[in-house]
Amino acid sequence: MEKNKFLWGSATASYQCEGAWNEDGKGLSIWDVFSHESEKNINNVTGDVSADNYHLYEEDFKMMKESNQNSYRFSVSWPRIIPDGDGEVNQKGIDFYNRLIDSMIANGQTPMLTLYHWDLPEALQKKGGWLNYDTAIAFARYAKICFNAFGDRVKLWITFNEPYYSLSSMYAVGNYPPHEHNYDHFILAGYIQMYASALATIEFRKCNDIGKIGIVADLHPCYPSNTEVGMDYAMEMANNCLNYWVLDPAFKGEFPQKLVDKLAETHDLSFMKKEHKEIFKQGVLDICGINYYTRAYIHQYTEGESYIGSNNKGIRKVKTRPLSVFKGLFEEIEDKNGVFTDWDMEIYPKGMRDICLTVTNRYGTIPIYITENGLGEYESLENNTVHDQKRIKFLKAHIDELIKAKNEGADIRGYYVWSTFDLYSWVNGYKKRYGLVYTDFEHGNKRYPKDSYYWYKDFIETYQKEEEK
Ligand code: BG6
């Protein structure tokens, strides 16, 4: 990796972009099963082919190079490497990622490898998935296999992508498989996934010279919606639930005690064993990946049971109830003056600066990478391109805030646009597009650079010229 050069790249994830769902010995993931079988697959599409990056990666990396990008964040599909999650290794899976990594490096991209971006092997889900400690042990074994196979070329590693968001979708919102509304399971899965991250990190430390390891957290800078009594408590608990439940074990080696004590009043936390404490301490990570999309606007808890809302329909509606309720703790509401996307994401660039500084103040100057930031929109081709001026405005505003945070002391080393090209947007299907490059899913996945692709290219060139001065 080139020293001191800021990484300007873009990101994808295996199930969302690869396709080739049953090629070369790959096993099933929970998303293969969901997209083929579940009635909850409201958009009725699958990732079977997706953007076909499994076959088109060379073209994608050439386009990245031509737009001056110098880093690619991608994820490895666990069931491609170990089809049943904890059994035999599929050499063809290893071979694919070797080709992928070699090609990205040949095209000037520093690899950032995420070990888990939600495509859990179905065979492990059948045994309880993230509710079963054996999954954590299987994950550490899978991680070790990847460290040994790719560690000679990959120097930036991520254990998990967005534990909070993915597990809340699986066990609280219930819009991701296994579609539960069970807060006991949500808490347990969060603990086991952070335990798995620590176990994998312990394996990482046994390897020689394979770089740095971190976690990617979806962070939600919290802002008070009023100054009435109870706001300090609501803000503290919102930060604990939305941000520190992942960041504290990742960078301090322990969970936020005040939240643990509060949860213990209503949940059985006997799965948190004394003997795990040492594992969490040893599993502290090196680098912090931040996915920043939107902020959290906090209100005091008023009434009712816990729930977390979601909008996978892409139809904007004014809310008649809070976006989420954490019983006894806080609520998230919409700011009436906010600007929102069709999927109810508030566009709030200042949050980028604030969250980077919050991380720096709480954990010291750890290296930060903005591992995802981007705008999801309905888009169509116009004269072989997309005039995505809204996205350009979004990216520019967020990067301006990032640079402010950097100048104010946050050790930010890289920034990745979500996403390199249009891809499968989970339950939202294919209509919600984030790419710098348009993917024509209907016609052989042909790629068309959008206006934002050219804007990013020029922006990076100007930045790099300044950097060299
Ligand atoms: C992040 C994920 O939550 O946001 C990505 O890491 C995801 O995988 C992205 O695609 C955008 O979310 P969505 O649901 O709009 O695709």
Side-chain angles (χ1 to χ4, degrees), residues 159-217:
T159 55
F160 286 94
N161 181 70
E162 299 193 348
Y164 171 80
Y165 185 79
S166 61
L167 296 171
S168 64
S169 301
M170 293 165 86
Y171 292 104
V173 184
N175 59 341
Y176 285 13
H179 301 106
E180 292 189 10
H181 302 278
N182 184 327
Y183 278 75
D184 284 318
H185 284 178
F186 178 26
I187 298 165
L188 172 62
Y191 185 81
I192 291 186
Q193 207 166 84
M194 294 312 295
Y195 182 71
S197 174
L199 288 182
T201 305
I202 291 169
E203 289 302 329
F204 187 84
R205 303 280 178 235
K206 294 180 194 157
C207 305
N208 269 337
D209 194 26
I210 63 167
K212 302 279 181 212
I213 190 160
I215 194 161
V216 165

Side-chain angles (χ1 to χ4, degrees), residues 16 117-118 161-162 293 372 418 425-426 428 432 434:
Q16 295 185 269
H117 199 128
W118 309 353
N161 181 70
E162 299 193 348
Y293 287 92
E372 285 180 34
W418 183 267
S425 192
W426 305 112
N428 308 306
K432 190 177 187 185
Y434 282 90

